[in-house]
Each structure stands twice: as structure tokens, then as C-alpha cells.
Amino acid sequence: MNITLEAIKTAYKDFGAMISAFEAKAPRTLVLPSESIELQADEHYAGVIVGENGIPTHHLVLMAGQVSDITWDDAMAWATKAGGELPTRAEQSLLFANLKGQFEPNWHWSCEQHAAGPSTAWFQNFSYGGQDNYHLSYEGRARAVRRVAI
């Protein structure tokens, strides 16, 4: 067998590709820090939000209180005054999955405006789970959340 530098480089490249392929399929261990989250009266833990990279970003807590017959701008201000924020669309999906019973079976504002224009915002229907958008001046319901960073 004749060993050449070119043969060694080719074998090294092939070996590197095999390692990369193996690592891509190997199980991963996700280590989360132990957390203690203090819930205030009538607050409910909704779960963990996972970022686009698959790594958890924060815990979500549904705060006490709700409002009805409120425009989007007023709902945003109400949530801030309550010490929280309106949930994102992803957070509303988690709230529907884990805490549906804590909501009136109707639509609730999210904090996200619709990409089609600044005159509409997204909502979550807590009756059947769909998401859609309404004009900002429509009067709907709102619940506030708080986020606990991981």
C-alpha cells in the first residue's frame, strides 16, 4: 500500500464528514436550571416557551384579572398597567393548550400586530383555538402574562 499526502487528506476529509453526520444524529441533552417561580394569587403557570433554535427562552405565567370590551391599544395599556404584557401568538397557543379553562370561550387580543398593516392585530379564539386578526378599534377581551427568563 502506497500512502501519499493526498490519500491522507482525502481520508481525513471523509472521516470529518462521518463525524459530522454522527453528531447530527446523536441524542442531545438539554439541561435546564432548577427554577422556583412564585405565583401571585390567581396566577397560573402556563409552561415554557421554546425559541426558534429549539432552546427554551422563558416560562409563561398567566396573570390574574381580565378585561372585556376593550380596543387593542387600550388592552396593551391595561396589560402594562397590570405589570405584564399581552401574550404573543405563540404564547397564546400555549395558553390555549394548557390553560384553556382559565379563559372565557371567546377571542382575546395578542400583542402582535398583523403583518398586512398597522390597522389590525392578532387574536386567539379560546373557544375553538383558531387565530385571526381584527381591526384595532374592535372591542374584545384581554389577559396579561408575565415572562420569567430562563
Side-chain angles (χ1 to χ4, degrees):
M1 178 173 174
N2 197 6
I3 299 175
T4 66
L5 180 58
E6 192 60 38
I8 292 171
K9 287 181 179 180
T10 300
Y12 180 76
K13 182 179 175 185
D14 292 343
F15 188 64
M18 289 179 6
I19 290 173
S20 294
F22 180 80
E23 287 177 336
K25 293 180 182 179
R28 298 181 299 157
T29 301
L30 180 62
V31 179
L32 298 175
S34 177
E35 301 265 349
S36 292
I37 300 171
E38 185 175 326
L39 298 177
Q40 302 301 318
D42 295 324
E43 284 188 334
H44 299 276
Y45 180 76
V48 174
I49 294 292
V50 176
E52 290 181 17
N53 59 0
I55 303 297
T57 59
H58 61 277
H59 298 277
L60 188 68
V61 175
L62 177 65
M63 298 175 69
Q66 59 184 333
V67 291
S68 298
D69 303 322
I70 190 167
T71 66
W72 184 78
D73 287 323
D74 290 342
M76 294 284 283
W78 168 81
T80 300
K81 186 176 180 181
E85 298 177 65
L86 294 182
T88 65
R89 291 176 63 201
E91 291 169 344
Q92 284 186 318
S93 293
L94 181 67
L95 290 164
F96 180 79
N98 292 343
L99 296 176
K100 178 183 174 186
Q102 297 300 318
F103 289 81
E104 291 184 38
N106 212 315
W107 64 273
H108 291 69
W109 287 118
S110 80
C111 68
E112 295 183 40
Q113 286 187 278
H114 194 274
S119 63
T120 61
W122 287 97
F123 70 85
Q124 171 82 39
N125 189 308
F126 281 88
S127 175
Y128 63 88
Q131 293 185 344
D132 207 339
N133 62 85
Y134 277 137
H135 194 276
L136 300 178
S137 64
Y138 287 3
E139 293 184 347
R141 291 172 176 75
R143 296 288 309 261
V145 297
R146 62 184 177 93
R147 298 170 183 96
V148 178
I150 293 178

